[in-house]
Amino acid sequence: MNTATGTVLAAGADLDLSLAQQLTVIALCALTAFISHMALAVFNDGVRPFMLDFIQGRSTRSATTAVSFGLSAGFIFGLGAPMALSTGVLNPWLVFLPTDILGILSPKKWLAPILGAAWGAVVVFGLNGANNLAHDLPVDFLTAMQQMSTPILFLFTLFPVLAISKQFGRKWGGVAGVVELALVVMTMKLWPNVFAGAIAMAVGVLLLIGLAVAKDLRQRKADRANAVEEIPPGDDPMASLFSASAARLRRHLPLFMLLGAGVCVLAQMHIFGGGEATSFLIAKGQYGEAAQVDFYRVFGFIPLIATTALASGAYGIAGFTLVYPIGYLLPNPFVAAVVGALVFAVEVLALSYIGKFLGKLPSVRDSSEHLRSAISDTLQLAILFGSLMAANAMGAGLGILVVGGLYLLNEAMGRPVVRMAAAPAAVIVGGILLNVLYWLDLFTPIKS
């Protein structure tokens, strides 16, 4: 396989896990459901702000469950399941979003881990059966979905360029774009076995951070020159809330360390990818490149996770997601368990300091928001384009008509399925429809 050109995976991505891997997934799902039930952490960033009302008794368990389901269902069935089936690699939308819901839903503490473990069993046993069944169909839409690999990997490379353009204007965005293009071409020419976007993304992210830090330093210098008084921490109305939330999380430090160990072990087993691009890289065995991609994503999520955790009292199931790239690179699960526990311990203990530090660097905080927005924009285009490529591979013009039509219909209906998940979901529905047409002798599958 030529990894530099991003060719698709071999047909028949395998989800047949070993016993140790199955038990790890089931145990981790049980743990994350328990932690969600305790309102200590959730994976969905959109749910976390609602957790404060739940923790303080202003919102019921059923109402919070409804919020979690509403914000997560589209990602679970439209993105998590299709990505896992097409790559043979598990992902956080499939593993952690359902345990958010099940944990909050559970009326009893003892029931939450049982529900979580049951979902883990569905993932490790049911998904492989569905995978095998789909590959035996006349129209193998799962193999066709591997066409998504190339656009996702290459367009994802551009997210720092978009972030720089949005925050620092067209001039710096143009500079970043030219530099990244040159680095991609150079990497493909000089190091054909390395993911072509690896160096380009590194330089792009460093340029964004450098510009943001430089802007904040200039602003602080100007403020000192103008003798601008800073508000003492004690006068900040949010300070007491942040302090109480940080203390609440620290009281459960052993549980968080166990969680960090579990997530890091799952990543180390190379059956799990923290993002869309990462899933394809893990499937191709490019663990170093996968670690690099997920490490860059961390910069876009630390401010969001830190501030929402301090404001709500609920942390992220994957923490700052640093355990993903660290786990990919570690030699065995035992080391991963120790390192993951230590990483989570440091994150939870340092949460207050991180919040105060980010408060002094507004441009860096803005950069994280632009990074998240740019990641979303690049992946939306890449997933849509890749889904249309998959549609063409499984049904040519008719496939494009069906998949593209379902996507447009979803848009026209006000997006009942979130945009990021709509196209992969349309590929699966379209693939099922093409199989039905084949059985009715109305469609002839394209020969591989």
Side-chain angles (χ1 to χ4, degrees):
M1 180 194 319
N2 187 341
T3 55
T5 57
T7 33
V8 298
L9 310 177
D14 189 13
L15 274 163
D16 190 14
L17 308 181
S18 69
L19 178 61
Q21 292 167 342
Q22 291 172 347
L23 292 175
T24 298
V25 173
I26 292 171
L28 185 57
C29 285
L31 177 62
T32 53
F34 178 74
I35 288 175
S36 171
H37 174 85
M38 299 280 288
L40 290 172
V42 289
F43 180 78
N44 194 320
D45 295 319
V47 174
R48 200 172 302 115
F50 293 92
M51 297 304 289
L52 181 63
D53 284 343
F54 176 61
I55 292 168
Q56 296 183 348
R58 293 193 298 268
S59 177
T60 64
R61 188 170 291 279
S62 59
T64 310
T65 301
V67 170
S68 182
F69 182 82
L71 293 175
S72 302
F75 287 103
I76 296 168
F77 301 109
L79 187 61
M83 287 295 295
L85 288 168
S86 60
T87 62
V89 176
L90 302 178
N91 57 68
W93 306 287
L94 183 66
V95 177
F96 298 142
L97 287 182
T99 59
D100 278 2
I101 300 168
L102 293 171
I104 299 171
L105 172 68
S106 175
K108 300 293 183 182
K109 187 183 296 187
W110 58 266
L111 182 59
I114 294 176
L115 294 175
W119 175 253
V122 169
V123 169
V124 298
F125 298 118
L127 212 58
N128 193 47
N131 182 65
N132 293 335
L133 176 64
H135 284 305
D136 289 336
L137 294 173
V139 180
D140 185 356
F141 53 87
L142 293 186
T143 297
M145 286 184 72
Q146 294 170 8
Q147 295 282 343
M148 295 166 62
S149 168
T150 301
I152 285 177
L153 290 176
F154 277 83
L155 287 176
F156 186 77
T157 302
L158 293 174
F159 79 86
V161 177
L162 268 64
I164 290 170
S165 300
K166 290 179 179 180
Q167 186 170 8
F168 296 104
R170 289 175 291 181
K171 175 184 173 183
W172 278 112
V175 170
V178 170
V179 170
E180 282 212 8
L181 178 60
L183 289 172
V184 167
V185 172
M186 182 185 74
T187 304
M188 294 177 72
K189 182 69 175 177
L190 299 179
W191 305 288
N193 292 321
V194 174
F195 170 47
I199 298 174
M201 278 191 291
V203 172
V205 171
L206 288 174
L207 178 58
L208 174 65
I209 294 172
L211 289 169
V213 171
K215 181 178 180 180
D216 282 334
L217 291 177
R218 287 195 302 270
Q219 185 60 49
R220 288 176 69 82
K221 184 177 180 181
D223 289 344
R224 284 196 298 269
N226 295 327
V228 174
E229 273 192 34
E230 294 186 3
I231 300 174
D235 295 341
D236 185 353
M238 295 296 290
S240 59
L241 174 62
F242 280 18
S243 178
S245 295
R248 177 177 187 265
L249 297 176
R250 286 196 299 269
R251 284 198 300 272
H252 295 89
L253 186 61
L255 195 57
F256 281 113
M257 292 177 70
L258 182 61
L259 175 63
V263 177
C264 199
V265 167
L266 186 66
Q268 191 280 328
M269 288 179 164
H270 301 146
I271 59 170
F272 175 91
E276 300 87 347
T278 316
S279 293
F280 284 107
L281 290 169
I282 292 291
K284 293 178 179 183
Q286 295 179 285
Y287 308 131
E289 287 87 345
Q292 188 176 348
V293 168
D294 272 355
F295 179 71
Y296 299 146
R297 292 174 70 111
V298 169
F299 293 104
F301 287 91
I302 283 181
L304 172 69
I305 293 169
T307 52
T308 55
L310 288 170
S312 69
Y315 198 40
I317 284 293
F320 292 144
T321 71
L322 273 170
V323 286
Y324 293 164
I326 291 172
Y328 303 148
L329 300 176
L330 292 176
N332 61 66
F334 303 104
V335 174
V338 174
V339 172
L342 292 175
V343 168
F344 257 52
V346 171
E347 289 182 7
V348 172
L349 293 174
L351 201 54
S352 292
Y353 302 102
I354 293 171
K356 292 175 184 176
F357 176 75
L358 290 171
K360 299 177 181 178
L361 296 173
S363 295
V364 173
R365 291 202 313 274
D366 290 345
S367 292
S368 74
E369 294 178 11
H370 288 299
L371 274 175
R372 291 197 309 277
S373 174
I375 288 171
S376 178
D377 289 345
T378 53
L379 286 174
Q380 280 180 7
L381 176 61
I383 290 172
L384 174 59
F385 189 70
S387 296
L388 292 176
M389 289 173 64
N392 182 65
M394 69 185 184
L398 180 59
I400 292 175
L401 172 65
V402 172
V403 172
L406 287 171
Y407 180 86
L408 292 173
L409 182 62
N410 184 69
E411 289 286 307
M413 294 173 64
R415 299 191 199 121
V417 178
V418 290
R419 180 178 282 170
M420 186 84 77
V427 174
I428 291 183
V429 174
I432 294 172
L433 179 59
L434 289 176
N435 277 292
V436 172
L437 292 176
Y438 167 80
W439 291 322
L440 294 174
D441 200 24
L442 297 174
F443 173 73
T444 302
I446 297 175
K447 293 182 180 179
S448 300

